[in-house]
Amino acid sequence: MQMIAFVEIVHAATGLVPSSPLNTFMQWLGRSNALYRIAQAIPELHANPAAPLMLACWSLGEVVRYPWYAATAANACPGWLTWLRYSAFIPIYPTGVVTEMVLMYLALPFIRDRGLFSVFMPNNYNFAFDYATFIAVVLLLYPYLWWGLYSTLLRQRRKKLSPPPTAAAKTD
Amino acid sequence: MAVITVKVQSRSGKPVTDVQLDSTATVSDLKKKIHKAKSALYPARQRLTLPPPPGAKSGDVLKDGATLESVGLKDGSVVLFKDLGTQIGYSTVFFFEYFGPMVIYPAFFLFPQIFYPWADKVPEKTLVQKVACAYWVFHYAKRIFETFFVHVFGHDTMPIFNLFKNCSYYYGFAAYVAYFVNHPQYTTPPETQSLVLFALALIFQLSNLRCHIILANLRKPGEKGYKIPAGFLFNYITCANYFAEIMGWVCFSLATQTVSGFLFTAAGAYQMAVWAQGKHKRLVKLFDGKDGRPKYPRRWIMLPPFF
């Protein structure tokens, strides 16, 4: 599913949906990393409650978003759905991001031990990549990048919901 | 000769100051008068434009040498003012952004015990590593030399933020490239191959210098405005200087056989491609072959045979 979600970037880039392709790409990249290279690659993390919680947050977000797309496209979007689409993210999004960060943090010792996704010297390309260090830097940047996306959503919320929800639903 | 009053306003319409001066005065005189009224706003910080004509977003920028009459400013005319922020000289920025790499790279070469503290033993540097270090230092020494003795800058200053931005870029990449080339576990490529590539890189650097000399001599002293560069590689490529620079770094990256070198080359090439496209478009638009203007010849933008 996460691989299929790549088409969202294409949708944004082609103007099919009005989202910014860069933001969509960042979210896709962040989630793919958390899913394929952290949660899936390290079996010890499966038992941690953060793993199912992370997936639940992602899914809940989409369960609201896609019906809203469908209803809007059919020109039959009820006001409460629009309200939900622009409100549900307020608790879901930070929870999802915190669980992603918890998993990444817990993954660090495993990545280091096993040398996961890392490249070591010596090699013919004289290149090295330490995935654990990379994740540590990503963890530092995450809150900053997350706030960029979250504030964009908050701004959209103000724009969409400032006229009464019913009116907003009609103009969409 | 008549004394006129020019109203200086911010772009949101807030009055900055009113200036009285001769109608034969220049824009540069106007900036000096504004500086007199507002001591923080020295002329290099000021950007003056005419109010936008109906339907347009912005008006023409007032160039320093132009007289007020020639740009149509009369008594009571409005001029829009923008504060460009604290300014810093071009050569100052260039010196710092090039001096850093010239010191950072040899530091990795000379003091491996500081940068690779985990290494039990540091093998002696191979000839390729020595030549790479010498080449790197030569390159940045050349850039500093050009800054003071070759380049003619179109502007004198830039916003001070650029100093921090450019220095982070150059210092960061210098450390990133130097880290791998001077690494205790560096794999040295075949020596002859590397030396031939370094020699090629040096030829490209000297070609780049020649391009810069051609550009510096493009305008006669005091002359302003755009000209069509010609001679040497400029007969084929609009930004021949960038072409030589990029090819020099491609050769360096091949000679040292480093991915980090190629990442540095790619980052620089991308930025230069953006500049080159802008310059090419400007020249093609300006030299359209109409009304006695020469026609801009068909040329590659920066990187034949692709771009």
Side-chain angles (χ1 to χ4, degrees):
Chain A
M1 278 304 273
Q2 178 61 22
M3 289 318 277
I4 300 172
F6 189 82
V7 299
E8 297 226 312
I9 302 166
V10 180
H11 292 162
T14 52
L16 203 61
V17 292
S19 334
S20 133
L22 184 68
N23 285 352
T24 315
F25 179 66
M26 278 198 332
Q27 187 176 61
W28 179 82
L29 205 64
R31 287 187 174 179
S32 297
N33 174 62
L35 182 66
Y36 294 119
R37 303 195 123 186
I38 304 285
Q40 216 171 60
I42 301 161
E44 285 85 344
L45 295 176
H46 294 177
N48 192 290
L53 189 55
M54 175 179 85
L55 296 177
C57 285
W58 293 357
S59 311
L60 267 175
E62 309 303 30
V63 160
V64 175
R65 205 156 61 100
Y66 278 95
W68 182 83
Y69 278 136
T72 310
N75 246 336
C77 189
W80 59 265
L81 188 56
T82 299
W83 182 87
L84 201 61
R85 188 246 186 281
Y86 286 102
S87 308
F89 76 89
I90 294 176
I92 291 175
Y93 198 21
T95 317
V97 164
V98 168
T99 53
E100 286 170 41
M101 289 180 73
V102 167
L103 289 177
M104 279 194 270
Y105 180 75
L106 294 175
L108 282 177
F110 296 109
I111 298 172
R112 250 188 215 113
D113 272 5
R114 295 168 199 175
L116 285 178
F117 311 116
S118 301
V119 179
F120 299 99
M121 295 274 271
N123 57 54
N124 277 337
Y125 310 100
N126 289 303
F127 181 69
F129 176 72
D130 186 32
Y131 187 55
T133 309
F134 174 76
I135 288 297
V137 174
V138 167
L139 274 174
L140 286 178
L141 294 178
Y142 234 62
Y144 170 76
L145 295 175
W146 167 76
W147 178 248
L149 296 176
Y150 198 59
S151 60
T152 307
L153 286 173
L154 285 172
R155 226 174 307 123
Q156 280 176 358
R157 178 174 202 272
R158 267 197 299 279
K159 219 163 69 189
K160 295 275 178 177
L161 298 187
S162 54
T166 43
K170 269 179 212 141
T171 52
D172 268 335
Chain B
M1 283 255 289
V3 174
I4 61 169
T5 302
V6 174
K7 291 179 177 161
V8 183
Q9 295 180 354
S10 78
R11 287 181 304 170
S12 57
K14 238 174 68 189
V16 176
T17 180
D18 287 353
V19 176
Q20 292 193 326
L21 69 183
D22 242 42
S23 58
T24 54
T26 62
V27 169
S28 152
D29 296 328
L30 172 60
K31 286 186 176 174
K32 280 180 206 150
K33 289 258 181 166
I34 295 174
H35 181 205
K36 232 180 210 170
K38 303 264 172 190
S39 62
L41 304 173
Y42 44 88
R45 277 182 80 144
Q46 302 176 20
R47 182 186 148 96
L48 300 179
T49 51
L50 293 175
K57 265 190 178 161
S58 53
D60 289 337
V61 177
L62 300 180
K63 299 213 174 76
D64 277 349
T67 60
L68 302 185
E69 277 173 335
S70 70
V71 293
L73 289 176
K74 296 185 286 285
D75 192 35
S77 290
V78 169
V79 162
L80 297 187
F81 167 88
K82 187 186 177 194
D83 180 6
L84 296 174
T86 307
Q87 297 288 302
I88 183 164
Y90 254 75
S91 7
T92 315
V93 174
F94 276 31
F95 174 76
F96 281 109
E97 68 187 32
Y98 299 152
F99 186 71
M102 206 169 96
V103 174
I104 291 169
Y105 189 105
F108 279 84
F109 181 87
L110 291 171
F111 310 111
Q113 60 278 18
I114 297 175
F115 296 101
Y116 315 95
W118 40 262
D120 303 330
K121 59 175 189 333
V122 181
E124 211 194 310
K125 295 280 184 296
T126 61
L127 181 64
V128 171
Q129 286 172 304
K130 286 176 190 165
V131 176
C133 185
Y135 177 86
W136 184 282
V137 173
F138 163 77
H139 174 78
Y140 284 97
K142 163 187 168 289
R143 285 199 182 189
I144 291 175
F145 168 80
E146 287 174 333
T147 301
F148 293 111
F149 300 107
V150 179
H151 290 327
V152 181
F153 296 110
H155 300 272
D156 294 330
T157 66
M158 58 171 108
I160 197 160
F161 176 69
N162 285 14
L163 178 68
F164 302 107
K165 196 177 64 180
N166 297 6
C167 284
S168 324
Y169 171 81
Y170 278 106
Y171 295 9
F173 263 120
Y176 189 59
V177 173
Y179 177 84
F180 290 108
V181 182
N182 298 300
H183 198 282
Q185 288 162 327
Y186 176 72
T187 307
T188 299
E191 202 167 82
T192 320
Q193 175 192 311
S194 288
L195 292 180
V196 169
L197 285 162
F198 276 126
L200 262 177
L202 189 65
I203 291 171
F204 279 120
Q205 280 311 301
L206 296 175
S207 308
N208 172 269
L209 174 63
R210 183 155 175 210
C211 289
H212 284 154
I213 293 172
I214 289 175
L215 288 178
N217 294 323
L218 209 52
R219 297 173 188 85
K220 293 179 191 77
E223 212 176 0
K224 291 253 177 192
Y226 291 103
K227 295 197 97 181
I228 300 179
F232 192 43
L233 298 174
F234 285 113
N235 292 340
Y236 315 99
I237 314 168
T238 298
C239 290
N241 47 328
Y242 295 161
F243 168 77
E245 181 73 22
I246 292 167
M247 291 313 288
W249 285 113
V250 168
C251 290
F252 174 89
S253 308
L254 285 171
T256 56
Q257 214 164 296
T258 45
V259 170
S260 51
F262 277 108
L263 291 176
F264 179 48
T265 308
Y270 172 76
Q271 177 61 70
M272 284 184 263
V274 173
W275 290 331
Q277 188 151 38
K279 183 171 178 183
H280 189 83
K281 272 192 185 151
R282 224 161 29 233
L283 289 173
V284 168
K285 198 176 152 200
L286 203 62
F287 298 108
D288 51 8
K290 290 175 200 151
D291 304 330
R293 284 183 297 265
K295 175 116 181 88
Y296 194 72
R298 227 177 98 81
R299 284 177 185 172
W300 292 102
I301 297 176
M302 179 180 91
L303 205 63
F306 308 108
F307 176 63

